[in-house]
Coordinates of all heavy atoms in Angstrom, one line a residue:
S32 N 6.2 17.7 19.2 CA 7.5 18.5 19.2 C 7.5 19.4 20.4 O 8.5 19.6 21.1 CB 7.6 19.3 17.9 OG 7.7 18.4 16.8
L33 N 6.3 20.1 20.6 CA 6.2 21.0 21.7 C 6.3 20.3 23.1 O 6.9 20.9 24.0 CB 4.9 21.8 21.6 CG 4.8 22.8 20.5 CD1 3.5 23.5 20.5 CD2 5.9 23.9 20.5
G35 N 8.0 17.6 23.6 CA 9.4 17.2 23.8 C 10.2 18.4 24.2 O 11.2 18.3 25.0
Q36 N 9.9 19.6 23.7 CA 10.6 20.8 24.0 C 10.3 21.2 25.5 O 11.2 21.6 26.2 CB 10.1 21.9 23.1 CG 11.0 23.2 23.2 CD 12.4 23.0 22.7 OE1 13.3 23.7 23.1 NE2 12.6 22.0 21.8
L39 N 12.4 19.0 27.7 CA 13.8 19.4 27.6 C 14.0 20.6 28.5 O 15.0 20.6 29.3 CB 14.1 19.7 26.2 CG 15.5 20.3 26.0 CD1 16.6 19.3 26.4 CD2 15.7 20.7 24.5
W40 N 13.2 21.6 28.5 CA 13.3 22.8 29.3 C 13.3 22.4 30.8 O 14.1 22.9 31.6 CB 12.3 23.8 29.0 CG 12.5 24.6 27.8 CD1 13.1 24.2 26.6 CD2 12.3 26.0 27.6 NE1 13.1 25.2 25.7 CE2 12.7 26.3 26.3 CE3 11.8 27.0 28.4 CZ2 12.6 27.6 25.8 CZ3 11.6 28.3 27.9 CH2 12.1 28.6 26.6
L43 N 16.6 20.5 31.8 CA 17.7 21.4 31.8 C 17.8 22.3 33.0 O 18.9 22.7 33.4 CB 17.8 22.2 30.5 CG 18.2 21.4 29.2 CD1 18.1 22.3 28.0 CD2 19.5 20.7 29.3
L57 N 21.8 28.3 32.4 CA 20.3 28.0 32.3 C 19.5 28.5 33.5 O 18.3 28.7 33.4 CB 20.2 26.5 32.2 CG 20.9 25.8 31.0 CD1 20.8 24.3 31.1 CD2 20.2 26.3 29.7
L60 N 17.4 31.6 32.9 CA 16.1 31.5 32.2 C 15.0 31.6 33.2 O 14.9 30.9 34.2 CB 15.9 30.2 31.4 CG 16.9 30.0 30.3 CD1 16.7 28.6 29.7 CD2 16.6 31.0 29.2
F227 N 14.5 12.1 10.2 CA 15.1 12.5 11.5 C 14.7 11.5 12.6 O 15.3 11.5 13.7 CB 14.7 13.9 11.9 CG 15.7 14.9 11.4 CD1 16.2 14.9 10.2 CD2 16.2 15.9 12.3 CE1 17.2 15.8 9.7 CE2 17.1 16.9 11.9 CZ 17.6 16.8 10.6
F230 N 17.3 8.9 14.3 CA 18.1 9.1 15.5 C 17.2 9.4 16.7 O 17.7 9.4 17.9 CB 19.2 10.2 15.3 CG 18.7 11.6 15.1 CD1 18.3 12.4 16.1 CD2 18.6 12.1 13.8 CE1 17.9 13.7 15.9 CE2 18.2 13.4 13.6 CZ 17.8 14.2 14.6
V259 N 23.8 9.7 17.8 CA 24.7 10.8 17.4 C 25.2 10.5 16.0 O 25.3 11.4 15.1 CB 25.9 11.0 18.3 CG1 26.9 12.0 17.8 CG2 25.4 11.6 19.7
F262 N 22.5 11.1 13.5 CA 22.3 12.5 13.4 C 23.3 13.1 12.4 O 22.9 13.9 11.5 CB 22.3 13.1 14.8 CG 22.4 14.6 14.7 CD1 21.3 15.4 14.3 CD2 23.5 15.3 15.1 CE1 21.3 16.8 14.3 CE2 23.6 16.7 15.1 CZ 22.5 17.4 14.7
V263 N 24.6 12.8 12.6 CA 25.6 13.4 11.8 C 25.5 12.9 10.4 O 25.7 13.7 9.4 CB 27.0 13.0 12.4 CG1 28.1 13.5 11.4 CG2 27.2 13.6 13.7
L265 N 22.7 12.2 8.8 CA 21.6 12.9 8.1 C 21.9 14.4 7.8 O 21.7 14.9 6.7 CB 20.4 12.8 9.0 CG 19.7 11.4 9.0 CD1 18.6 11.4 10.0 CD2 19.2 11.1 7.6
V266 N 22.5 15.1 8.8 CA 22.7 16.5 8.6 C 23.9 16.8 7.6 O 24.0 17.9 7.1 CB 23.0 17.2 10.0 CG1 21.9 17.1 10.9 CG2 24.3 16.7 10.6
S267 N 24.7 15.8 7.4 CA 25.8 16.0 6.4 C 25.3 15.7 5.0 O 26.0 15.9 4.0 CB 26.9 15.0 6.7 OG 26.5 13.6 6.6
W283 N 7.4 19.7 8.2 CA 8.6 20.4 8.7 C 8.7 20.1 10.2 O 9.8 20.2 10.8 CB 8.5 21.8 8.4 CG 8.8 22.2 7.0 CD1 8.8 21.4 5.9 CD2 9.2 23.5 6.5 NE1 9.1 22.1 4.8 CE2 9.4 23.4 5.1 CE3 9.4 24.7 7.2 CZ2 9.8 24.5 4.4 CZ3 9.8 25.8 6.4 CH2 10.0 25.7 5.0
W284 N 7.6 19.9 10.9 CA 7.6 19.7 12.4 C 8.3 18.4 12.8 O 8.6 18.2 13.9 CB 6.2 19.8 13.0 CG 5.7 21.2 13.2 CD1 5.0 21.9 12.3 CD2 5.9 22.0 14.3 NE1 4.7 23.2 12.9 CE2 5.3 23.2 14.1 CE3 6.6 21.8 15.5 CZ2 5.3 24.3 15.1 CZ3 6.7 22.8 16.5 CH2 6.0 24.0 16.2
A285 N 8.6 17.6 11.8 CA 9.3 16.3 12.1 C 10.8 16.6 12.4 O 11.4 15.7 13.0 CB 9.2 15.4 10.9
Y286 N 11.3 17.8 12.2 CA 12.6 18.1 12.6 C 12.8 18.4 14.1 O 13.8 18.1 14.7 CB 13.1 19.4 11.8 CG 13.3 19.2 10.3 CD1 12.6 20.0 9.4 CD2 14.2 18.3 9.8 CE1 12.7 19.9 8.1 CE2 14.4 18.1 8.4 CZ 13.6 18.9 7.6 OH 13.8 18.8 6.2
S287 N 11.8 18.9 14.7 CA 11.9 19.4 16.1 C 12.0 18.3 17.1 O 12.9 18.3 18.0 CB 10.7 20.3 16.4 OG 10.8 20.8 17.7
F288 N 11.1 17.4 17.1 CA 11.0 16.4 18.2 C 12.3 15.5 18.3 O 12.8 15.4 19.4 CB 9.8 15.5 18.0 CG 9.8 14.3 18.9 CD1 9.4 14.5 20.2 CD2 10.1 13.0 18.5 CE1 9.4 13.4 21.1 CE2 10.0 11.9 19.3 CZ 9.7 12.1 20.6
P289 N 12.8 15.0 17.2 CA 14.1 14.2 17.3 C 15.2 15.0 17.9 O 16.0 14.5 18.7 CB 14.4 13.8 15.8 CG 13.0 13.8 15.2 CD 12.3 15.0 15.8
L290 N 15.3 16.3 17.5 CA 16.4 17.2 18.1 C 16.2 17.3 19.6 O 17.2 17.3 20.3 CB 16.4 18.5 17.4 CG 16.9 18.5 16.0 CD1 16.7 19.9 15.3 CD2 18.4 18.2 15.9
S291 N 15.0 17.5 20.1 CA 14.7 17.6 21.5 C 15.1 16.3 22.3 O 15.7 16.4 23.3 CB 13.3 17.9 21.8 OG 12.9 19.2 21.2
V292 N 14.8 15.2 21.7 CA 15.1 13.9 22.3 C 16.6 13.7 22.4 O 17.2 13.2 23.3 CB 14.3 12.7 21.7 CG1 14.7 11.4 22.3 CG2 12.9 13.0 21.7
L293 N 17.3 14.0 21.3 CA 18.7 13.9 21.2 C 19.4 14.8 22.2 O 20.3 14.4 22.9 CB 19.2 14.2 19.8 CG 20.7 14.1 19.6 CD1 21.2 12.6 19.9 CD2 21.1 14.5 18.2
A294 N 18.9 16.0 22.4 CA 19.4 16.9 23.4 C 19.2 16.4 24.8 O 20.1 16.5 25.7 CB 18.8 18.3 23.2
L295 N 18.1 15.8 25.0 CA 17.8 15.2 26.3 C 18.8 14.0 26.6 O 19.3 13.9 27.7 CB 16.4 14.6 26.4 CG 15.3 15.6 26.7 CD1 13.9 15.0 26.4 CD2 15.3 16.1 28.1
C297 N 21.7 13.6 25.3 CA 23.1 14.2 25.5 C 23.2 14.8 26.8 O 24.3 14.8 27.5 CB 23.3 15.2 24.4 SG 25.0 15.8 24.3
A309 N 31.3 17.4 26.8 CA 30.0 16.8 26.8 C 28.9 17.8 27.1 O 27.9 17.9 26.5 CB 29.9 15.6 27.7
H310 N 29.2 18.7 28.1 CA 28.3 19.7 28.5 C 28.1 20.8 27.4 O 27.0 21.3 27.1 CB 28.7 20.4 29.8 CG 28.5 19.6 31.0 ND1 27.2 19.5 31.6 CD2 29.3 18.9 31.8 CE1 27.3 18.7 32.7 NE2 28.6 18.3 32.8
V311 N 29.2 21.1 26.7 CA 29.1 22.0 25.6 C 28.3 21.5 24.5 O 27.4 22.2 23.9 CB 30.5 22.4 25.1 CG1 30.5 23.2 23.8 CG2 31.3 23.1 26.1
F312 N 28.5 20.2 24.2 CA 27.7 19.5 23.1 C 26.2 19.5 23.5 O 25.3 19.7 22.6 CB 28.3 18.1 22.9 CG 27.6 17.4 21.7 CD1 27.4 18.1 20.5 CD2 27.3 16.1 21.8 CE1 26.8 17.5 19.4 CE2 26.7 15.4 20.7 CZ 26.5 16.1 19.5
A313 N 25.9 19.2 24.8 CA 24.6 19.1 25.2 C 23.9 20.5 25.1 O 22.7 20.6 24.7 CB 24.5 18.6 26.7
L314 N 24.6 21.5 25.5 CA 24.0 22.9 25.4 C 23.8 23.3 24.0 O 22.8 24.0 23.6 CB 24.8 23.9 26.2 CG 24.8 23.7 27.7 CD1 25.8 24.7 28.4 CD2 23.4 23.9 28.3
L315 N 24.8 22.9 23.1 CA 24.7 23.3 21.7 C 23.4 22.6 21.1 O 22.7 23.2 20.3 CB 25.9 22.8 21.0 CG 26.0 23.1 19.5 CD1 25.9 24.6 19.2 CD2 27.3 22.6 18.9
L316 N 23.2 21.3 21.4 CA 22.1 20.6 20.9 C 20.8 21.2 21.4 O 19.8 21.3 20.7 CB 22.2 19.1 21.2 CG 23.1 18.3 20.4 CD1 23.2 16.8 20.9 CD2 22.6 18.2 18.9
A317 N 20.8 21.5 22.7 CA 19.6 22.2 23.3 C 19.3 23.5 22.6 O 18.1 23.8 22.3 CB 19.8 22.4 24.8
L318 N 20.3 24.3 22.3 CA 20.1 25.6 21.6 C 19.6 25.4 20.2 O 18.6 26.1 19.8 CB 21.4 26.3 21.6 CG 21.4 27.7 20.9 CD1 20.5 28.6 21.6 CD2 22.8 28.3 20.8
I319 N 20.1 24.4 19.5 CA 19.6 24.1 18.2 C 18.2 23.7 18.2 O 17.3 24.1 17.4 CB 20.5 23.0 17.5 CG1 21.9 23.5 17.2 CG2 19.9 22.6 16.2 CD1 22.9 22.5 16.7
S320 N 17.9 22.8 19.2 CA 16.5 22.3 19.3 C 15.5 23.5 19.6 O 14.4 23.6 19.0 CB 16.4 21.3 20.5 OG 15.1 20.9 20.7
V321 N 15.9 24.4 20.5 CA 15.1 25.5 20.8 C 14.9 26.5 19.6 O 13.7 26.9 19.3 CB 15.7 26.3 22.0 CG1 14.9 27.7 22.2 CG2 15.6 25.5 23.3
L322 N 16.0 26.7 18.9 CA 15.9 27.6 17.7 C 15.0 27.0 16.6 O 14.2 27.7 16.0 CB 17.3 27.9 17.2 CG 18.2 28.8 18.1 CD1 19.5 28.9 17.5 CD2 17.5 30.1 18.4
V323 N 15.2 25.7 16.4 CA 14.4 25.0 15.4 C 12.9 25.1 15.8 O 12.0 25.4 14.9 CB 14.8 23.6 15.2 CG1 13.8 22.8 14.3 CG2 16.2 23.6 14.5
S324 N 12.6 24.8 17.0 CA 11.2 24.9 17.5 C 10.6 26.3 17.4 O 9.5 26.5 16.9 CB 11.1 24.4 18.9 OG 11.5 23.0 19.0
L325 N 11.4 27.3 17.8 CA 10.9 28.6 17.7 C 10.7 29.0 16.2 O 9.7 29.7 15.9 CB 12.0 29.6 18.3 CG 11.6 31.1 18.4 CD1 10.4 31.3 19.2 CD2 12.8 31.9 19.0
F326 N 11.6 28.6 15.3 CA 11.5 28.9 13.9 C 10.2 28.3 13.4 O 9.4 28.9 12.6 CB 12.7 28.4 13.1 CG 12.5 28.4 11.6 CD1 12.6 29.6 10.9 CD2 12.3 27.3 10.9 CE1 12.5 29.7 9.6 CE2 12.1 27.3 9.6 CZ 12.2 28.5 8.9
L327 N 9.9 27.0 13.7 CA 8.7 26.4 13.2 C 7.5 27.0 13.8 O 6.5 27.1 13.0 CB 8.8 24.9 13.6 CG 9.8 24.0 12.9 CD1 9.9 22.6 13.5 CD2 9.5 23.9 11.4
M328 N 7.5 27.5 15.0 CA 6.3 28.1 15.6 C 6.0 29.4 14.8 O 4.9 29.7 14.5 CB 6.5 28.4 17.0 CG 6.3 27.2 17.9 SD 6.3 27.6 19.7 CE 8.0 27.8 20.0

Side-chain angles (χ1 to χ4, degrees):
S32 299
L33 292 177
Q36 193 65 208
L39 175 63
W40 281 39
L43 289 178
L57 299 174
L60 294 175
F227 267 46
F230 64 84
V259 172
F262 168 70
V263 174
L265 287 172
V266 297
S267 62
W283 284 21
W284 278 94
Y286 292 121
S287 177
F288 173 75
L290 288 172
S291 298
V292 180
L293 180 61
L295 280 167
C297 189
H310 282 285
V311 171
F312 187 44
L314 290 176
L315 179 61
L316 282 174
L318 178 62
I319 294 174
S320 173
V321 171
L322 291 177
V323 169
S324 298
L325 183 61
F326 170 76
L327 289 173
M328 284 190 281

